[in-house]
Amino acid sequence: MQPQRRTIVTTAVNGTPVEALVDVRITLADFLREEAGCTSVHLGCEHGVCGACTVLLDGLPVRSCLRLAAQATGHAITTLEGVMQTERGKMIGQAFVEQFAMQCGFCTAGFALSLYHLLENAPEPITDRDIHETLGGHICRCTGYVSIVEAAKRLRDQRG
Amino acid sequence: MNEFPAPPSTEGRRLFDLQAQYIADLTPLPNLAHAAVVRSPYAHARIRSIDPSAALALPGVITVLTGREVQEWSRPFAVDAERPGRYYSCAIDKVRYVGEPVAVVMAANRYVAEDARDTIEVEYEPLPAVVEVEAAMQPSAPILHEELETNVAIDRHLTYGDVAAVFSAADIVFSQRYVFPRYQSFPLETYGIIASWNPSASQASFWANFHGPYSMLAVLAGALRVPLSKLRVVTPPDVGGSFGNKIALYPYMALMALASRKANRPVKWIEDRLESLSASSTGTDRVTQIEVAARNDGQLLGLKMRLMDNVGAYIRAPEPGCLFRPIGNFMNAYKIEHLEVNALAVMTNVCPSGPNRGYACQQHYFPIERAIDELALKLGKDPATVRLQNLIQPQDIPYRTVTGGLYDSGDYPRATQRALELSNYWQLRQSTGAAAPSDAGVWRGVGMAVAIDPSGSNMGYIDVSKKATQRRPNLVRVGSAQTTRIYLDATGGVTVELETAAHGQGQETTAAFIVAQTLGIAPADVTVIAGMDTGSRPWSVSSGSYSSRFGAVGASSIVAAARRLQENLLQAAAYFLDSTASRLRIRAGRIVSLDNAQLGLSLKDVAARLHWSTGTLPPHLETATQIEGTFVASELDYPNEHDQVNSSAVYAFTADVAVVEIDKETFDIRVTDYITVHDAGNILHPQIARGQFVGGLLHGLAGALYEELRYTETGDFLTGTLMDYLCPTVSEMPGNIVTDHIVLPTPQALTGAKGVGESTAQTAPIAIANAVADAVRHLGLEITELPLTPDKLWQQLGARLAGEPACT
Ligand code: FES
Ligand code: FES
């Protein structure tokens, strides 16, 4: 048994500076959910495969279940809570809601964050293949993906 | 009626508004302890001793619950089986599958609880294990529950019609063994429970992602030795999927209630993925021996089926539902009048089984639909032709099946023809299997499946598990009922309570739409109270969201309530306007007179008067704003002495065609096209219904090609992560998916709707298997079991060619 050690995390969550004393072993996902109030971060597998826990670390999608909170020091974290403050986030929300790109919603924030990253960063044009590759990193058990692909294509078309 | 377009997703809106509430997000009580479950590493072993002292010495650890207290404080769970074994929420003196709970640690947080879990010393004496259903039936097999002297929990013989006669008169009789695998629909959110035991009242409160059937709460109350009224179960507004998996949450609810009792404080437990895959609940794997009797012209005459269900270490309610839930539709959509069934539920050293999207139908139809393809081939006919020839015809409907089902509505040939057209089936047939061009890089196949999709289970079917003489004459369990409450507030706002414990089916969106359509107001003006709370909302044992029952049963109770509110509003307006209710109508938020264009009242005014002027109202209007609408499915009955029962409230129909390509070098199997046509009656919300069809396809595809819960011969569990349990991503979905439906409303539901939720999950494994069979038959390969994987095909072909180069 390791003696419990603590460390100070100095990060920014959705634009707000956060400094917190945490267990060195607490995962970024648990830290975001329990200490930073970001309950949009969902845990589907806790071993890095399902994508439900995806957040942006300095703008890049990462699995927050595979990282420690301590590793966030010096980096900026964005979750769905942050993305929804942006125009693009609102468009993503609208497309998902209107296309029924979610059923139970447990996977949705992960898909939304990866799509946000794609829409923000991918050079024109975003191809169907780009969309498949982005969505292919996530598991959804409800929709069969068709409506998520439709929402993604609609967002791609709106981007222009 | 349809003044408003189908509204967008209310549930999705809440999610993007950052207001979602899943069980893991909740802290409904102060002072929560966090639980971790100690689990068996052995498939079968005696527990010699448990030593929690190291755990108890860790800072932050509160206490440890073991089987000793579980045995003292609870009873085994009740189940409808002749030889059930004793199933507690935790192993007492013996473990019977890998992952079985052995103890529960409670600590200040989950990290400490899991540290402590790893320090608990359990001494085991391993025993021989058995995991295969046929092996477990052998006299020499290890026995899981010694007091039973057998692993066979149920062995029922059911006979309908004159089977011997049709088998001796048949032109062709053949038999085949089929294996349906063990997989689970894997909701992305795992089990979650917050349990609080109140010692002075012997009362337990739960917050849990449980969604019914609420009859399971009766089982839970029995196990906890408290009256049902001493349980309160709150389901949060958001539940991350279930597909039947979370019905088996109740044993863990018992375990956490006992853990809370031990800790003397509320306990929270969120299951992890390994626990979910190894020890929550899975679909039932089954071996079927089927015998088919037919005429040379393709006419099916009779079937004999020996169903051998592997129910896992304990037969657990709602099992043996997998054997009996489809009893009314045992013959699928075919006009077959002679059937013999031997239904066996067998216990082995694997995780207990339970409902899994399509509960029992894929298991039951797989051998039938595969055998029909085989029959067609033997007779030199096309499988589609043989199906069309044997389908029940529209003029025969309503049709009473020989097993007691009442097919309420439908045109099966039309839906089937539609699937054949949309898939271009007849043309495809010219270029698949042996007819495919030999220089292509792939083998190509096309296959189909049809299915009766039963919705709204009749509680009574389960008693077919007992012989007629052994059924309880004083408790005739029949029916499926649901109540919905609606309120009209003083400003004219309408609120509907959902009492069905939804978990991703869009029921809030649909409920608002139904109420709005009935009352002629905008869906956005209807407030829906999501989630469920047995402490404050109406429910009965058949309540819940399972067996695709929302469209036919749950939503019908919403219609019933909305209609009553509509009637009350008209009555009230008639009173206030001194008119007659029958001459009034609700139009766009106003109640207007058919006789006098000047005469009218806004809904707001009526509502205000009903609330503010209660002292002046006549008795019939005193409760006009508080409505309870109840819907009880009709035509449901109790099994008769011939074991016939109408097992479901309504019966939908599905006809599917799958097209596959198999890479000649890698044996990679791709489903390129999938066409699914439904007769689900009225469609309550088109996008939601389509989402259910496509989602069902995902689960069927997964069962056909990717997902399998695997064990070694000695019961070690092999598929505990997403690296071993392969969930399809967007890349595995067919490139071309076509969904379509024909609409034949059912007279049995106020909505006219039949089920949509399970549908394609039942047909897809079979249509895909038939397509693969078509692709590889010319190579001499037979498809008798799922999942179909490249290595299995490769091995079969290798054995076949015996050393020759594998690719042709
Ligand atoms: S929870 Fe992090 S990838 Fe699944
Ligand atoms: S919507 Fe349920 S997992 Fe994707």
Tab-separated table of all heavy atoms in Angstrom, chain A residues 25-27 30 33 42 44 47 84 93 96-98 100 103-108 141-145 150, chain B residues 9 15 22 24-25 111 115 185-186 239-241 243 273 504 685 687-688 690-691 695 699 707 722 728 733:
chain	number	residue	atom	x	y	z
A	25	ARG	N	-2.919	10.192	-7.117
A	25	ARG	CA	-3.408	9.148	-8.017
A	25	ARG	C	-4.813	9.416	-8.542
A	25	ARG	O	-5.353	8.586	-9.275
A	25	ARG	CB	-3.386	7.817	-7.292
A	25	ARG	CG	-4.279	7.853	-6.061
A	25	ARG	CD	-4.316	6.540	-5.426
A	25	ARG	NE	-5.121	6.552	-4.223
A	25	ARG	CZ	-5.474	5.436	-3.640
A	25	ARG	NH1	-5.107	4.284	-4.116
A	25	ARG	NH2	-6.199	5.501	-2.547
A	26	ILE	N	-5.405	10.529	-8.166
A	26	ILE	CA	-6.768	10.758	-8.666
A	26	ILE	C	-6.703	10.991	-10.181
A	26	ILE	O	-5.826	11.702	-10.681
A	26	ILE	CB	-7.479	11.915	-7.936
A	26	ILE	CG1	-8.971	11.923	-8.281
A	26	ILE	CG2	-6.848	13.255	-8.259
A	26	ILE	CD1	-9.784	12.938	-7.489
A	27	THR	N	-7.636	10.353	-10.898
A	27	THR	CA	-7.615	10.520	-12.354
A	27	THR	C	-8.152	11.900	-12.710
A	27	THR	O	-8.877	12.528	-11.924
A	27	THR	CB	-8.490	9.477	-13.068
A	27	THR	OG1	-9.849	9.698	-12.693
A	27	THR	CG2	-8.076	8.054	-12.720
A	30	ASP	N	-11.994	11.820	-12.610
A	30	ASP	CA	-12.589	11.945	-11.273
A	30	ASP	C	-12.411	13.355	-10.738
A	30	ASP	O	-13.303	13.910	-10.085
A	30	ASP	CB	-11.971	10.923	-10.309
A	30	ASP	CG	-12.481	9.508	-10.565
A	30	ASP	OD1	-13.452	9.370	-11.320
A	30	ASP	OD2	-11.902	8.559	-10.018
A	33	ARG	N	-14.930	15.601	-12.470
A	33	ARG	CA	-16.298	15.341	-12.018
A	33	ARG	C	-16.516	15.777	-10.572
A	33	ARG	O	-17.530	16.388	-10.252
A	33	ARG	CB	-16.621	13.835	-12.120
A	33	ARG	CG	-16.839	13.332	-13.537
A	33	ARG	CD	-17.162	11.832	-13.540
A	33	ARG	NE	-18.272	11.531	-12.636
A	33	ARG	CZ	-19.558	11.752	-12.924
A	33	ARG	NH1	-19.889	12.256	-14.105
A	33	ARG	NH2	-20.486	11.476	-12.044
A	42	HIS	N	-18.221	11.618	-18.581
A	42	HIS	CA	-18.814	10.338	-18.198
A	42	HIS	C	-17.798	9.216	-18.289
A	42	HIS	O	-16.917	9.236	-19.146
A	42	HIS	CB	-20.007	10.013	-19.100
A	42	HIS	CG	-21.167	10.926	-18.864
A	42	HIS	ND1	-22.143	11.148	-19.802
A	42	HIS	CD2	-21.503	11.682	-17.802
A	42	HIS	CE1	-23.037	12.002	-19.303
A	42	HIS	NE2	-22.668	12.340	-18.103
A	44	GLY	N	-17.377	5.422	-19.102
A	44	GLY	CA	-18.022	4.237	-19.665
A	44	GLY	C	-17.173	2.996	-19.493
A	44	GLY	O	-17.695	1.897	-19.429
A	47	HIS	N	-10.966	2.480	-19.074
A	47	HIS	CA	-9.698	1.986	-19.585
A	47	HIS	C	-9.398	2.484	-20.997
A	47	HIS	O	-8.745	1.819	-21.780
A	47	HIS	CB	-9.538	0.475	-19.436
A	47	HIS	CG	-10.667	-0.344	-20.034
A	47	HIS	ND1	-11.686	-0.862	-19.263
A	47	HIS	CD2	-10.905	-0.755	-21.285
A	47	HIS	CE1	-12.513	-1.545	-20.043
A	47	HIS	NE2	-12.060	-1.491	-21.276
A	84	MET	N	-19.915	24.504	-24.422
A	84	MET	CA	-21.259	25.063	-24.566
A	84	MET	C	-21.297	26.576	-24.363
A	84	MET	O	-22.333	27.200	-24.581
A	84	MET	CB	-22.245	24.362	-23.625
A	84	MET	CG	-22.574	22.929	-24.030
A	84	MET	SD	-22.939	22.714	-25.781
A	84	MET	CE	-24.531	23.539	-25.880
A	93	GLY	N	-24.780	21.354	-30.170
A	93	GLY	CA	-25.928	20.964	-29.359
A	93	GLY	C	-27.198	20.931	-30.191
A	93	GLY	O	-27.971	19.970	-30.154
A	96	PHE	N	-27.267	18.010	-32.677
A	96	PHE	CA	-27.504	16.728	-31.997
A	96	PHE	C	-28.967	16.604	-31.557
A	96	PHE	O	-29.579	15.558	-31.704
A	96	PHE	CB	-26.573	16.584	-30.776
A	96	PHE	CG	-25.268	15.915	-31.088
A	96	PHE	CD1	-24.369	16.484	-31.985
A	96	PHE	CD2	-24.931	14.700	-30.502
A	96	PHE	CE1	-23.164	15.862	-32.278
A	96	PHE	CE2	-23.731	14.065	-30.794
A	96	PHE	CZ	-22.845	14.653	-31.678
A	97	VAL	N	-29.496	17.678	-31.018
A	97	VAL	CA	-30.863	17.640	-30.496
A	97	VAL	C	-31.863	17.460	-31.641
A	97	VAL	O	-32.822	16.684	-31.536
A	97	VAL	CB	-31.151	18.916	-29.686
A	97	VAL	CG1	-32.630	19.054	-29.375
A	97	VAL	CG2	-30.332	18.914	-28.394
A	98	GLU	N	-31.622	18.140	-32.740
A	98	GLU	CA	-32.579	18.053	-33.851
A	98	GLU	C	-32.443	16.761	-34.648
A	98	GLU	O	-33.420	16.264	-35.199
A	98	GLU	CB	-32.434	19.278	-34.763
A	98	GLU	CG	-32.987	20.510	-34.066
A	98	GLU	CD	-32.807	21.806	-34.848
A	98	GLU	OE1	-32.374	21.754	-36.020
A	98	GLU	OE2	-33.098	22.872	-34.273
A	100	PHE	N	-31.538	13.963	-33.324
A	100	PHE	CA	-31.639	12.841	-32.383
A	100	PHE	C	-30.343	12.020	-32.409
A	100	PHE	O	-30.362	10.800	-32.493
A	100	PHE	CB	-32.866	11.969	-32.675
A	100	PHE	CG	-34.138	12.586	-32.153
A	100	PHE	CD1	-34.747	13.614	-32.849
A	100	PHE	CD2	-34.698	12.167	-30.965
A	100	PHE	CE1	-35.902	14.223	-32.359
A	100	PHE	CE2	-35.857	12.756	-30.475
A	100	PHE	CZ	-36.452	13.792	-31.170
A	103	GLN	N	-29.419	9.048	-27.612
A	103	GLN	CA	-30.604	8.466	-26.980
A	103	GLN	C	-30.436	8.572	-25.469
A	103	GLN	O	-31.005	9.440	-24.842
A	103	GLN	CB	-30.820	7.033	-27.472
A	103	GLN	CG	-31.302	7.007	-28.926
A	103	GLN	CD	-31.463	5.617	-29.485
A	103	GLN	OE1	-31.617	4.645	-28.763
A	103	GLN	NE2	-31.425	5.506	-30.807
A	104	CYS	N	-29.581	7.723	-24.900
A	104	CYS	CA	-29.385	7.823	-23.448
A	104	CYS	C	-28.463	8.986	-23.097
A	104	CYS	O	-28.455	9.454	-21.962
A	104	CYS	CB	-28.834	6.525	-22.885
A	104	CYS	SG	-27.060	6.293	-23.088
A	105	GLY	N	-27.650	9.442	-24.045
A	105	GLY	CA	-26.818	10.618	-23.837
A	105	GLY	C	-25.513	10.375	-23.096
A	105	GLY	O	-24.741	11.313	-22.887
A	106	PHE	N	-25.246	9.136	-22.739
A	106	PHE	CA	-24.058	8.911	-21.907
A	106	PHE	C	-22.760	9.090	-22.691
A	106	PHE	O	-21.748	9.499	-22.149
A	106	PHE	CB	-24.120	7.506	-21.282
A	106	PHE	CG	-23.362	7.402	-19.989
A	106	PHE	CD1	-23.848	8.005	-18.837
A	106	PHE	CD2	-22.160	6.717	-19.917
A	106	PHE	CE1	-23.148	7.930	-17.635
A	106	PHE	CE2	-21.456	6.624	-18.726
A	106	PHE	CZ	-21.949	7.233	-17.581
A	107	CYS	N	-22.818	8.801	-23.984
A	107	CYS	CA	-21.623	8.925	-24.828
A	107	CYS	C	-21.468	10.315	-25.411
A	107	CYS	O	-20.446	10.646	-26.004
A	107	CYS	CB	-21.734	7.949	-26.004
A	107	CYS	SG	-23.093	8.388	-27.138
A	108	THR	N	-22.518	11.131	-25.323
A	108	THR	CA	-22.674	12.301	-26.190
A	108	THR	C	-21.593	13.353	-26.002
A	108	THR	O	-21.072	13.902	-26.983
A	108	THR	CB	-24.075	12.912	-25.960
A	108	THR	OG1	-25.029	11.859	-26.060
A	108	THR	CG2	-24.381	13.994	-26.962
A	141	ARG	N	-23.763	3.025	-27.669
A	141	ARG	CA	-24.493	1.768	-27.632
A	141	ARG	C	-25.949	1.924	-28.043
A	141	ARG	O	-26.667	0.934	-28.123
A	141	ARG	CB	-24.435	1.177	-26.211
A	141	ARG	CG	-23.057	0.806	-25.791
A	141	ARG	CD	-22.450	-0.245	-26.676
A	141	ARG	NE	-23.023	-1.555	-26.471
A	141	ARG	CZ	-22.783	-2.588	-27.268
A	141	ARG	NH1	-22.021	-2.468	-28.319
A	141	ARG	NH2	-23.332	-3.761	-27.003
A	142	CYS	N	-26.375	3.164	-28.237
A	142	CYS	CA	-27.812	3.376	-28.471
A	142	CYS	C	-28.167	3.677	-29.913
A	142	CYS	O	-29.122	3.148	-30.440
A	142	CYS	CB	-28.318	4.530	-27.615
A	142	CYS	SG	-28.130	4.285	-25.857
A	143	THR	N	-27.441	4.602	-30.530
A	143	THR	CA	-27.931	5.195	-31.775
A	143	THR	C	-27.623	4.376	-33.009
A	143	THR	O	-28.216	4.598	-34.061
A	143	THR	CB	-27.284	6.568	-31.999
A	143	THR	OG1	-25.857	6.368	-32.087
A	143	THR	CG2	-27.587	7.520	-30.868
A	144	GLY	N	-26.622	3.469	-32.928
A	144	GLY	CA	-26.158	2.833	-34.156
A	144	GLY	C	-25.415	3.824	-35.044
A	144	GLY	O	-25.156	3.540	-36.211
A	145	TYR	N	-25.086	4.968	-34.509
A	145	TYR	CA	-24.201	5.984	-35.114
A	145	TYR	C	-24.808	6.776	-36.267
A	145	TYR	O	-24.296	7.841	-36.610
A	145	TYR	CB	-22.875	5.360	-35.596
A	145	TYR	CG	-22.123	4.637	-34.510
A	145	TYR	CD1	-22.126	3.245	-34.440
A	145	TYR	CD2	-21.436	5.339	-33.526
A	145	TYR	CE1	-21.450	2.572	-33.430
A	145	TYR	CE2	-20.759	4.668	-32.505
A	145	TYR	CZ	-20.771	3.284	-32.472
A	145	TYR	OH	-20.113	2.624	-31.482
A	150	GLU	N	-25.049	11.886	-39.253
A	150	GLU	CA	-25.870	12.929	-39.896
A	150	GLU	C	-25.650	14.286	-39.236
A	150	GLU	O	-25.527	15.306	-39.917
A	150	GLU	CB	-27.354	12.545	-39.836
A	150	GLU	CG	-27.709	11.455	-40.824
A	150	GLU	CD	-29.073	10.807	-40.554
A	150	GLU	OE1	-29.728	11.158	-39.531
A	150	GLU	OE2	-29.467	9.948	-41.342
B	9	SER	N	-35.387	16.541	-29.488
B	9	SER	CA	-35.173	15.743	-28.274
B	9	SER	C	-35.100	16.584	-27.000
B	9	SER	O	-34.169	17.363	-26.811
B	9	SER	CB	-33.881	14.940	-28.426
B	9	SER	OG	-33.528	14.350	-27.202
B	15	LEU	N	-29.267	17.634	-21.828
B	15	LEU	CA	-27.847	17.270	-21.806
B	15	LEU	C	-26.972	18.449	-22.230
B	15	LEU	O	-25.974	18.771	-21.569
B	15	LEU	CB	-27.659	16.105	-22.770
B	15	LEU	CG	-26.336	15.421	-22.681
B	15	LEU	CD1	-26.501	14.194	-21.800
B	15	LEU	CD2	-25.842	15.018	-24.036
B	22	TYR	N	-27.326	11.791	-14.084
B	22	TYR	CA	-27.161	10.337	-14.057
B	22	TYR	C	-26.860	9.919	-12.617
B	22	TYR	O	-26.488	10.749	-11.784
B	22	TYR	CB	-26.015	9.911	-14.978
B	22	TYR	CG	-26.281	10.218	-16.429
B	22	TYR	CD1	-25.925	11.446	-16.980
B	22	TYR	CD2	-26.898	9.291	-17.260
B	22	TYR	CE1	-26.176	11.737	-18.317
B	22	TYR	CE2	-27.152	9.570	-18.597
B	22	TYR	CZ	-26.789	10.798	-19.120
B	22	TYR	OH	-27.047	11.080	-20.437
B	24	ALA	N	-24.410	8.476	-11.168
B	24	ALA	CA	-23.083	8.782	-10.606
B	24	ALA	C	-22.970	10.253	-10.209
B	24	ALA	O	-22.120	10.623	-9.397
B	24	ALA	CB	-21.990	8.428	-11.614
B	25	ASP	N	-23.831	11.099	-10.794
B	25	ASP	CA	-23.766	12.535	-10.502
B	25	ASP	C	-24.459	12.894	-9.191
B	25	ASP	O	-24.357	14.028	-8.731
B	25	ASP	CB	-24.451	13.347	-11.621
B	25	ASP	CG	-23.917	13.002	-12.996
B	25	ASP	OD1	-22.766	12.538	-13.084
B	25	ASP	OD2	-24.662	13.202	-13.984
B	111	TYR	N	-11.560	5.269	-3.908
B	111	TYR	CA	-10.146	4.883	-3.981
B	111	TYR	C	-9.755	4.038	-2.771
B	111	TYR	O	-9.127	2.992	-2.899
B	111	TYR	CB	-9.265	6.137	-4.077
B	111	TYR	CG	-9.307	6.815	-5.439
B	111	TYR	CD1	-10.419	7.537	-5.855
B	111	TYR	CD2	-8.224	6.721	-6.310
B	111	TYR	CE1	-10.459	8.154	-7.095
B	111	TYR	CE2	-8.250	7.339	-7.564
B	111	TYR	CZ	-9.367	8.055	-7.954
B	111	TYR	OH	-9.396	8.661	-9.181
B	115	ASP	N	-8.663	0.106	-2.494
B	115	ASP	CA	-7.430	-0.318	-1.808
B	115	ASP	C	-7.763	-1.420	-0.811
B	115	ASP	O	-7.099	-2.462	-0.759
B	115	ASP	CB	-6.838	0.847	-0.985
B	115	ASP	CG	-6.137	1.871	-1.859
B	115	ASP	OD1	-5.875	1.565	-3.033
B	115	ASP	OD2	-5.861	2.982	-1.347
B	185	SER	N	-25.913	-6.508	-24.044
B	185	SER	CA	-26.051	-5.294	-24.843
B	185	SER	C	-25.266	-4.121	-24.283
B	185	SER	O	-25.201	-3.077	-24.900
B	185	SER	CB	-27.519	-4.936	-25.021
B	185	SER	OG	-28.073	-5.846	-25.934
B	186	PHE	N	-24.653	-4.287	-23.129
B	186	PHE	CA	-23.597	-3.378	-22.710
B	186	PHE	C	-24.031	-1.911	-22.722
B	186	PHE	O	-23.617	-1.135	-23.576
B	186	PHE	CB	-22.419	-3.564	-23.687
B	186	PHE	CG	-21.131	-2.904	-23.329
B	186	PHE	CD1	-20.009	-3.661	-23.074
B	186	PHE	CD2	-21.004	-1.514	-23.279
B	186	PHE	CE1	-18.791	-3.059	-22.785
B	186	PHE	CE2	-19.801	-0.905	-22.986
B	186	PHE	CZ	-18.695	-1.679	-22.744
B	239	VAL	N	-30.672	7.948	-17.516
B	239	VAL	CA	-30.095	6.618	-17.327
B	239	VAL	C	-29.362	6.278	-18.613
B	239	VAL	O	-29.922	6.407	-19.704
B	239	VAL	CB	-31.189	5.570	-17.019
B	239	VAL	CG1	-30.593	4.170	-16.997
B	239	VAL	CG2	-31.865	5.876	-15.681
B	240	GLY	N	-28.116	5.857	-18.462
B	240	GLY	CA	-27.258	5.663	-19.637
B	240	GLY	C	-27.441	4.343	-20.340
B	240	GLY	O	-26.489	3.614	-20.578
B	241	GLY	N	-28.684	4.048	-20.693
B	241	GLY	CA	-28.967	2.832	-21.453
B	241	GLY	C	-29.124	1.631	-20.544
B	241	GLY	O	-28.728	1.645	-19.378
B	243	PHE	N	-31.059	-1.722	-22.176
B	243	PHE	CA	-31.369	-2.810	-23.116
B	243	PHE	C	-31.698	-4.094	-22.360
B	243	PHE	O	-31.457	-5.192	-22.851
B	243	PHE	CB	-30.202	-3.025	-24.100
B	243	PHE	CG	-29.576	-1.728	-24.540
B	243	PHE	CD1	-28.325	-1.353	-24.082
B	243	PHE	CD2	-30.267	-0.865	-25.364
B	243	PHE	CE1	-27.765	-0.142	-24.446
B	243	PHE	CE2	-29.719	0.354	-25.737
B	243	PHE	CZ	-28.466	0.718	-25.275
B	273	ARG	N	-16.388	-1.408	-15.317
B	273	ARG	CA	-16.690	-2.146	-16.552
B	273	ARG	C	-16.383	-3.637	-16.434
B	273	ARG	O	-17.114	-4.479	-16.965
B	273	ARG	CB	-15.931	-1.511	-17.727
B	273	ARG	CG	-16.256	-2.074	-19.075
B	273	ARG	CD	-17.742	-2.164	-19.386
B	273	ARG	NE	-18.401	-0.882	-19.466
B	273	ARG	CZ	-19.729	-0.743	-19.569
B	273	ARG	NH1	-20.530	-1.787	-19.620
B	273	ARG	NH2	-20.261	0.469	-19.606
B	504	GLY	N	-33.402	6.237	-22.101
B	504	GLY	CA	-32.797	6.520	-23.400
B	504	GLY	C	-33.736	6.350	-24.577
B	504	GLY	O	-33.316	6.460	-25.718
B	685	HIS	N	-43.148	8.807	-32.916
B	685	HIS	CA	-42.194	9.868	-33.229
B	685	HIS	C	-41.197	9.291	-34.237
B	685	HIS	O	-40.408	8.408	-33.885
B	685	HIS	CB	-41.469	10.332	-31.957
B	685	HIS	CG	-40.659	11.566	-32.157
B	685	HIS	ND1	-39.623	11.644	-33.055
B	685	HIS	CD2	-40.727	12.794	-31.577
B	685	HIS	CE1	-39.087	12.856	-33.014
B	685	HIS	NE2	-39.744	13.571	-32.134
B	687	GLN	N	-38.361	10.056	-35.771
B	687	GLN	CA	-36.909	9.990	-35.565
B	687	GLN	C	-36.553	9.047	-34.417
B	687	GLN	O	-35.552	8.336	-34.471
B	687	GLN	CB	-36.343	11.380	-35.278
B	687	GLN	CG	-36.271	12.258	-36.515
B	687	GLN	CD	-36.087	13.709	-36.108
B	687	GLN	OE1	-36.990	14.320	-35.567
B	687	GLN	NE2	-34.908	14.258	-36.367
B	688	ILE	N	-37.377	9.083	-33.375
B	688	ILE	CA	-37.102	8.193	-32.248
B	688	ILE	C	-37.267	6.741	-32.684
B	688	ILE	O	-36.450	5.878	-32.348
B	688	ILE	CB	-38.005	8.542	-31.051
B	688	ILE	CG1	-37.564	9.891	-30.462
B	688	ILE	CG2	-37.964	7.446	-29.996
B	688	ILE	CD1	-38.445	10.404	-29.340
B	690	ARG	N	-36.905	5.492	-35.684
B	690	ARG	CA	-35.776	5.094	-36.529
B	690	ARG	C	-34.534	4.825	-35.678
B	690	ARG	O	-33.782	3.879	-35.905
B	690	ARG	CB	-35.470	6.159	-37.577
B	690	ARG	CG	-34.443	5.642	-38.586
B	690	ARG	CD	-33.920	6.707	-39.526
B	690	ARG	NE	-33.078	7.667	-38.844
B	690	ARG	CZ	-32.054	8.299	-39.408
B	690	ARG	NH1	-31.752	8.078	-40.666
B	690	ARG	NH2	-31.350	9.169	-38.734
B	691	GLY	N	-34.338	5.684	-34.668
B	691	GLY	CA	-33.200	5.485	-33.766
B	691	GLY	C	-33.238	4.126	-33.089
B	691	GLY	O	-32.206	3.490	-32.880
B	695	GLY	N	-30.452	1.385	-33.709
B	695	GLY	CA	-29.778	0.933	-32.494
B	695	GLY	C	-29.923	-0.571	-32.307
B	695	GLY	O	-28.982	-1.256	-31.902
B	699	HIS	N	-26.966	-3.735	-32.109
B	699	HIS	CA	-26.834	-4.838	-31.157
B	699	HIS	C	-26.899	-6.192	-31.848
B	699	HIS	O	-26.200	-7.135	-31.465
B	699	HIS	CB	-27.909	-4.728	-30.068
B	699	HIS	CG	-27.592	-3.645	-29.089
B	699	HIS	ND1	-28.475	-3.174	-28.172
B	699	HIS	CD2	-26.471	-2.922	-28.896
B	699	HIS	CE1	-27.911	-2.218	-27.452
B	699	HIS	NE2	-26.703	-2.043	-27.882
B	707	GLU	N	-19.373	-9.428	-30.598
B	707	GLU	CA	-19.378	-9.485	-29.131
B	707	GLU	C	-19.662	-10.899	-28.637
B	707	GLU	O	-20.625	-11.523	-29.049
B	707	GLU	CB	-20.449	-8.531	-28.583
B	707	GLU	CG	-20.156	-7.083	-28.911
B	707	GLU	CD	-21.234	-6.130	-28.446
B	707	GLU	OE1	-22.102	-6.539	-27.655
B	707	GLU	OE2	-21.218	-4.969	-28.895
B	722	LEU	N	-12.836	-3.800	-23.038
B	722	LEU	CA	-13.263	-3.484	-24.405
B	722	LEU	C	-12.216	-3.888	-25.435
B	722	LEU	O	-12.450	-3.737	-26.631
B	722	LEU	CB	-13.571	-1.999	-24.520
B	722	LEU	CG	-14.927	-1.592	-23.938
B	722	LEU	CD1	-15.048	-0.096	-23.802
B	722	LEU	CD2	-16.042	-2.133	-24.818
B	728	PRO	N	-18.947	-2.754	-31.673
B	728	PRO	CA	-18.814	-2.099	-32.975
B	728	PRO	C	-18.741	-0.577	-32.847
B	728	PRO	O	-19.427	0.017	-32.015
B	728	PRO	CB	-20.084	-2.501	-33.725
B	728	PRO	CG	-20.661	-3.631	-32.972
B	728	PRO	CD	-20.164	-3.561	-31.573
B	733	MET	N	-20.427	-0.425	-38.843
B	733	MET	CA	-21.833	-0.389	-39.264
B	733	MET	C	-21.920	-0.551	-40.784
B	733	MET	O	-21.032	-0.115	-41.512
B	733	MET	CB	-22.475	0.935	-38.845
B	733	MET	CG	-22.736	1.046	-37.353
B	733	MET	SD	-23.889	-0.182	-36.702
B	733	MET	CE	-25.484	0.523	-37.182
